[in-house]
Amino acid sequence: MHVLVVEDDPGIATPLVGVLERAGFSASHVATGREALAADPGDLVLLDLGLPDMDGVDVCRRLRERSAVPIIVVTARGDEVDRVVGLEVGADDYVVKPFGKRELVARIRAVLRRTGGAASTPDEHDETADRTVVGSLVVDRRAHRVLVADAEVALTPTEFDLLELLARDPGAVVRRSEILDEVWDGEWYGPTRTIDVHVAALRRKLGDAGWIETVRGVGFRLAAVTDGP
Ligand code: CA
């Protein structure tokens, strides 16, 4: 699966290509609308709408005229009009800057599934990467769902990312710094208390505080909650 990244800011494009490659995609990068229209779109186009040479919406429309390639538009925060117009001219989904890398990869996989590229998405054949089962807790990455005792638990995207990170290695401590880096993309510069707030919300939603153990001064780990006394 090849992703074409259209983004004029190298400070965003370079790490983005790295994120995509670590997620199992191949990725190439162009910085202008003109280059985007000349490039091979690959299997999916990630299109920043704020481009230096052309209106990103026009780039989207022209890509769509010539190809059925899935397109995810990237818009600045709160730019509601861009989002709506992007979808109207044929984009399949949008992400809003600043976005988390896990959210982005999840969106890309979802769009590829929806548009029929599912058979060859990188994690498709890797059951263990798709699901983690710890006791009665199931973290389903493909479906972006969490179940406890077969009942779905509604989580916010941040809560899901946090739980998904802990579920990658149940029982292992995940450091606070790693959580900030993975879930908040290292973009959080305030007090790390924000982690505690989200952990508290997760524990509440999972129905038992025991699912997430605090390792004082270090971080958190996912633990199996056993039923009964
Ligand atoms: Ca831009």
Side-chain angles (χ1 to χ4, degrees):
M1 282 280 145
H2 186 86
V3 179
L4 174 66
V5 176
V6 186
E7 167 63 66
D8 58 308
D9 182 346
I12 294 173
T14 305
L16 202 52
V17 167
V19 164
L20 292 172
E21 286 174 346
R22 281 193 296 280
F25 299 96
S26 64
S28 54
H29 163 231
V30 295
T32 65
R34 209 171 300 276
E35 287 174 284
L37 292 171
D40 177 352
D43 300 296
L44 184 136
V45 178
L46 196 61
L47 174 66
D48 179 33
L49 290 184
L51 294 170
D53 61 331
M54 288 175 69
D55 185 339
V57 168
D58 285 334
V59 177
C60 184
R61 183 185 294 116
R62 286 166 65 174
L63 277 173
R64 178 53 73 239
E65 279 167 6
R66 68 179 67 177
S67 158
V69 66
I71 302 170
I72 298 180
V73 294
V74 181
T75 72
R77 192 208 295 269
D79 212 337
E80 199 78 41
V81 175
D82 269 2
R83 272 183 249 173
V84 172
V85 173
L87 295 177
E88 274 175 359
V89 297
D92 296 280
D93 200 358
Y94 62 83
V95 290
V96 180
K97 285 180 181 174
F99 48 80
K101 48 194 170 192
R102 302 205 59 75
E103 180 202 350
L104 178 70
V105 170
R107 292 287 193 98
I108 289 175
R109 293 215 167 106
V111 166
L112 286 173
R113 265 198 302 281
R114 235 168 43 221
T115 55
S120 44
T121 53
D123 277 355
E124 196 68 13
H125 304 293
D126 189 349
E127 271 286 314
T128 53
D130 288 348
R131 275 159 75 92
T132 298
V133 180
V134 181
S136 59
L137 173 71
V138 178
V139 179
D140 186 336
R141 294 175 180 83
R142 276 192 59 214
H144 216 266
R145 291 171 82 198
V146 170
L147 306 172
V148 173
D150 296 326
E152 179 147 13
V153 182
L155 300 179
T156 66
T158 301
E159 288 162 359
F160 182 89
D161 286 353
L162 179 55
L163 182 61
E164 190 279 325
L165 173 61
L166 296 173
R168 281 185 221 168
D169 193 359
V173 178
V174 182
R175 293 179 173 275
R176 286 172 168 270
S177 56
E178 194 184 340
I179 294 173
L180 283 178
D181 187 45
E182 284 278 336
V183 179
W184 280 270
D185 284 354
E187 279 169 8
W188 182 265
Y189 301 108
T192 62
R193 173 101 190 102
T194 192
I195 297 178
D196 300 272
V197 172
H198 283 85
V199 166
L202 252 182
R203 283 173 171 152
R204 206 162 49 238
K205 290 186 179 181
L206 295 176
D208 193 319
W211 284 114
I212 302 173
E213 293 178 352
T214 304
V215 183
R216 213 164 287 283
V218 184
F220 299 92
R221 67 172 160 234
L222 188 64
V225 170
T226 45
D227 289 330

